[in-house]
Amino acid sequence: MTDDLPELRASDADRERVAEVLRDALAEGRLDMAEFEERLDATYQARTYGELTPITRDLPGAAVNMVKRPVGDGSWPDRIVGGEGSSRWGVAVMGGFQRKGRWTMPRRFNTFVFWGGGEIDLRDANFADGEVVVNCAVIMGGMGVIVPPGVEVVVRGIGIMGGFDHSQEGVLGDPGAPRVIIQGFTFWGGVGVSRKLPKAERQRLKEERRQEKLERREGRELGGSGSGSGFHHGMHDLHKRDED
C-alpha cells in the first residue's frame, strides 16, 4: 500500500462492502448491536480509505481489501479470487435482501427467508472458490438465484409444500468456471434458479443487433436508390430513341 492510498476517496461501493462485513459479524455474534450500529455509522460517514480500513481490522479476513486491483479480463480464472467473500449472509424477515453487481461470492452463503424474498445474482460476481454453496432456508417466502452462462449448477434442496427449481441442472460448465451448489429446505416456499447474461453482455448484443439493423436498412436504401436511378436512365434512353 502506498503512503497516499489512505487519502484516496472511498466510493459508495467501498462503504457498502464494509457494511456487508459488519452485517456478517453481527449475524455471527462477533459484534453486539451497539458495536454494529457505531461502526455502521462510522462506515457511512467515512470519506477515505484511511477512515474505512480500521472499522473491520479486528474482524475475520480484515474483511475488506482497500487496495485497488487492476481490472482483469473477465475470464473464469480471473474471477476465482480466493479470500472470504464480501458477504456471507442474507436474511429477509417480512422483507427482502439482494446481492448483485460486483461482489465476491464466498465458499458458503447462508440465507434465511421468512415471509419475504431474497435474490442472489452471480452474473457479475467474483468467486472465493471454484465450488461455492448457496444454503437456503425458506419459510413461506421465495429465493431466486441468477447465474451467468458457463456456470455449472447442482440443486440438492428439499421442499415441503414447496420446492427447488432444477431446470438449470445438467448444463455443462465452461472449462475453469465455478460450480454452484444450491441446497437447503423450503416450507411453503420456493427457490428459483435462472441463467441470464450479464447486463454488459446484454447491452453489447443489443448494440450489435441495432447496428446490424441499421446496416441492413442502409443497404436497402442504397439498393432502392440504385434501382430508381437505373429506371430513370432507361426512360431517358427510350425517349431519346423516339426523338431520333
Side-chain angles (χ1 to χ4, degrees):
M1 181 180 295
T2 62
D3 292 338
D4 61 343
L5 183 58
E7 300 305 316
L8 289 179
R9 302 284 289 191
S11 68
D12 289 341
D14 294 324
R15 283 184 281 270
E16 189 57 35
R17 286 162 58 203
V18 173
E20 286 296 338
V21 171
L22 296 177
R23 294 185 188 107
D24 287 344
L26 176 67
E28 294 166 0
R30 299 181 190 276
L31 297 176
D32 60 30
M33 183 57 69
E35 291 173 317
F36 169 74
E37 291 177 350
E38 180 182 352
R39 295 194 191 197
L40 192 64
D41 287 342
T43 297
Y44 288 121
Q45 292 173 11
R47 296 180 179 274
T48 66
Y49 282 2
E51 294 172 346
L52 275 179
T53 301
I55 295 173
T56 57
R57 185 169 287 158
D58 60 344
L59 297 176
V64 179
N65 179 9
M66 287 297 163
V67 177
K68 292 289 186 182
R69 298 181 179 178
V71 177
D73 60 6
S75 64
W76 288 121
D78 187 63
R79 292 176 63 178
I80 299 177
V81 297
E84 297 295 326
S86 55
S87 177
R88 288 178 286 176
W89 278 87
V91 178
V93 178
M94 292 184 286
F97 74 85
Q98 189 178 58
R99 299 292 182 273
K100 63 185 293 187
R102 291 288 183 183
W103 66 294
T104 300
M105 170 69 185
R107 290 175 177 84
R108 182 184 179 93
F109 188 95
N110 296 301
T111 72
F112 176 74
V113 176
F114 176 74
W115 275 19
E119 181 181 81
I120 297 176
D121 189 336
L122 299 174
R123 287 176 291 177
D124 294 311
N126 291 326
F127 297 81
D129 196 66
E131 181 172 288
V132 296
V133 176
V134 180
N135 189 53
C136 305
V138 180
I139 301 172
M140 292 182 286
M143 263 289 302
V145 181
I146 303 174
V147 300
V151 169
E152 181 185 0
V153 174
V154 177
V155 181
R156 298 173 178 168
I158 298 173
I160 300 173
M161 290 184 286
F164 282 73
D165 181 2
H166 292 260
S167 64
Q168 298 304 317
E169 282 193 297
V171 179
L172 294 178
D174 292 342
R179 185 186 197 208
V180 177
I181 299 174
I182 300 168
Q183 63 183 33
F185 74 94
T186 68
F187 177 73
W188 278 16
V191 176
V193 185
S194 58
R195 194 180 299 269
K196 299 179 181 179
L197 288 170
K199 184 177 180 180
E201 182 67 11
R202 293 203 315 272
Q203 290 177 337
R204 185 186 67 80
L205 293 174
K206 183 178 179 180
E207 178 60 25
E208 286 183 357
R209 288 194 294 268
R210 189 191 70 81
Q211 189 63 33
E212 288 174 358
K213 289 180 180 178
L214 182 61
E215 291 174 355
R216 287 198 297 268
R217 186 181 301 118
E218 290 176 348
R220 287 195 298 269
E221 290 174 355
L222 289 174
S225 174
S227 299
S229 177
F231 171 79
H232 290 304
H233 281 301
M235 291 300 294
H236 176 74
D237 291 341
L238 179 61
H239 287 306
K240 187 177 181 179
R241 284 197 300 271
D242 291 341
E243 291 172 356
D244 292 338

